[in-house]
Structure formats: structure tokens, C-alpha cells
Amino acid sequence: MTEPSADRWNAVDSYLTETLVAEDEALRASVASLAEEGLPEIEVAPLNGKLLHLLARMSGAKRVLEVGTLGAYSTIWLARALPEGGRVVTIEAEPHNAEVARRNLDRSGIGDRVDIRIGRGADVLPTLTDEEPFDFVFIDADKESNTIYLDWAAKLGHPGTVVVVDNVVRSGLVVVPGENSQVDGVRAGLAMLRDDPRFDATALQTLDRKGWDGIAVALVV
Ligand code: DHB
Ligand code: MG
């Protein structure tokens, strides 16, 4: 068996992306804006962006919640999955990130479907209880708070809500308890997905232009 090498997995990532993911100018510009505006270049890979888009469509999601907007690359993919009248609420702690995201969303033609709420997830999520429930939730913020975000995903969702958690492998460090606070946050989130009767879940490792990481996919039952 061929061992994985960075050259080969990056070639595979490019091949699959070129074959299956048509990024338009707005998506490309939102990626470029991260370096230009001094944001960390930690957006999801194109194949993962399209996966989010397809999962949202497959689940018939009309209301999408995102925790961690960054430059809105994943937000654009999610907003483009919505039917007429659908809405994305996306939470971003950094006001400068939110400004960059707003510009990117408006350039992508679907800015009117997206509300950016500025603040920490733990502060903003409790303000959403009076809104209609969410059908799809993407958690991609500070990993230390994953259990808080999952708890709100269940509270603000309904049976059938799909929840995706980014970055659950962290270059393999997820199997090293105590390695750092992010790893411990990811592990606590995965333990919650196992133990909390509100969820059923699985996770997949990914190896791509963003390195070695993974996503958890859960259903609110
Ligand atoms: C980090 C955060 C992310 O959401 C990501 O996709 C990659 C890296 C980080 O904090 O290092
Ligand atoms: Mg992420």
C-alpha cells in the first residue's frame, strides 16, 4: 500500500476539488480576503465547503446557524444551499472579521440571506431562543467551547437538525488528552455527542490542503 505523502494528498485534494467543486469569483475572493485583511487562513477546504452545502440541501434546511464566521467562506456555501426565504445566522466574535465577512457576503450575491451577529457564541446563542428553530448548525469557533455550542445546537434545533463540528482531529492530537485546551475541548464535544441522548453522531478524518483534521456529523434525535 502506498503511504500517504503530502505531495500525493495535496494532488488528490486538487484533483477532487477541480473535478467536483466549481468555486466562483466570490468564493475565491473570500479566501483571498483572509490573507489580505490579516485574518487566519483557516477557512474550510473547498471540498468541505461543498459538503456543508450539500448536507444543508439534503436536510432541506431553511434556517442555518453558524458559530464562527471568519471571512464567510463557509457561510457563502451554506447561504447558497437555502431555498427562497431561507436564512443563515452566523456568529462572529471579532468585529474586524465580521466586516470582512459582510463585504464577502455582499459580493457573493446572497448577503441579504445572512445575519452576522457580533459577539462571543456563549453570549449570542442565548439571544436566539425566541427565533424559529434551526435546521442545520455548523460549529467552527473556539474549540474550548464545543460543548456549549453543542448544547445550544440541540436547544435551538429540533429532531432532524443536522449538526457539523469542524476540526475534530487536529493533526491527530485528538487522541492525546491534555495536549492543549483545544484538544480537550474537541474531546469533550465528542464525548458529549456519544453520551448526550439528544445526539447521534459519527466523525471522519480529512487530509487535504488544510492538513490532517476531521469533521463530526451529528443528528439531533
Ligand atoms: C483552527 C481553527 C479552525 O476552525 C480551523 O478550521 C483550523 C485551525 C485553529 O484555531 O488553529
Ligand atoms: Mg475550522
Short mmCIF file of all heavy atoms in Angstrom, two decimals, residues 8 213 215:
data_model
loop_
_atom_site.label_atom_id
_atom_site.label_comp_id
_atom_site.label_asym_id
_atom_site.label_seq_id
_atom_site.Cartn_x
_atom_site.Cartn_y
_atom_site.Cartn_z
N ARG A 8 1.25 13.76 -2.48
CA ARG A 8 0.17 12.99 -3.08
C ARG A 8 -1.19 13.43 -2.54
O ARG A 8 -2.15 13.58 -3.27
CB ARG A 8 0.41 11.49 -2.85
CG ARG A 8 -0.58 10.57 -3.52
CD ARG A 8 -0.63 10.73 -5.06
NE ARG A 8 0.60 10.37 -5.73
CZ ARG A 8 0.92 9.14 -6.18
NH1 ARG A 8 0.07 8.15 -6.03
NH2 ARG A 8 2.06 8.91 -6.78
N ASP A 213 -7.15 16.78 9.55
CA ASP A 213 -8.16 17.19 10.52
C ASP A 213 -9.39 16.33 10.32
O ASP A 213 -9.26 15.19 9.84
CB ASP A 213 -8.44 18.70 10.40
CG ASP A 213 -8.69 19.34 11.76
OD1 ASP A 213 -9.39 18.71 12.58
OD2 ASP A 213 -8.21 20.45 12.00
N ILE A 215 -14.13 16.15 10.61
CA ILE A 215 -15.42 16.74 10.99
C ILE A 215 -16.26 15.68 11.70
O ILE A 215 -16.16 14.50 11.39
CB ILE A 215 -16.21 17.27 9.77
CG1 ILE A 215 -16.44 16.18 8.73
CG2 ILE A 215 -15.51 18.48 9.16
CD1 ILE A 215 -17.50 16.52 7.71
#
